[in-house]
Amino acid sequence: LKKRPTIFVSGAVGPPKQVPEKHLKTGKMLDKLLKNMLEPRAAKIETTQDLRVKCLNQPYCGLLLKGSKTVDSATKKAIHRLLEEQP
């Protein structure tokens, strides 16, 4: 039975989180987990709630909107409301 260290990660991931023991089996597994936790990545946003949680409530956020020729009124209202809320 090998003893594995107890590792916590904090900072960009929010409050301190303990790394599960299953990710401590090899250095490669730990490296992969840390990259997934710490590196920025794209997230699909389908609702305004998703937008708030995944982007607007984060310290840094980049947003890429998929364009279309027509936009329904509900989407227009949501965009205008968010533009007013977020300076």
Side-chain angles (χ1 to χ4, degrees):
L1 186 64
K2 292 183 180 179
K3 292 208 173 209
R4 295 193 175 103
T6 302
I7 299 176
F8 290 88
V9 179
S10 66
V13 296
K17 296 179 183 177
Q18 184 174 357
V19 174
E21 191 173 323
K22 66 181 181 180
H23 296 289
L24 301 175
K25 290 180 182 175
T26 66
K28 187 174 182 178
M29 290 176 73
L30 178 60
D31 183 52
K32 183 178 178 181
L33 174 76
L34 293 175
K35 282 182 180 177
N36 285 337
M37 290 177 78
L38 300 173
E39 288 181 355
R41 61 191 165 276
K44 186 174 183 179
I45 296 174
E46 296 179 344
T47 65
T48 53
Q49 184 63 28
D50 282 349
L51 179 63
R52 289 182 205 287
V53 171
K54 296 177 181 177
C55 187
L56 301 177
N57 292 342
Q58 303 301 320
Y60 300 100
C61 173
L63 185 62
L64 176 65
L65 296 175
K66 180 181 174 184
S68 67
K69 292 185 179 186
T70 59
V71 178
D72 61 272
S73 63
T75 303
K76 282 184 183 179
K77 285 181 185 177
I79 290 172
H80 286 292
R81 195 172 332 116
L82 287 169
L83 287 172
E84 290 173 0
E85 290 176 12
Q86 304 295 323

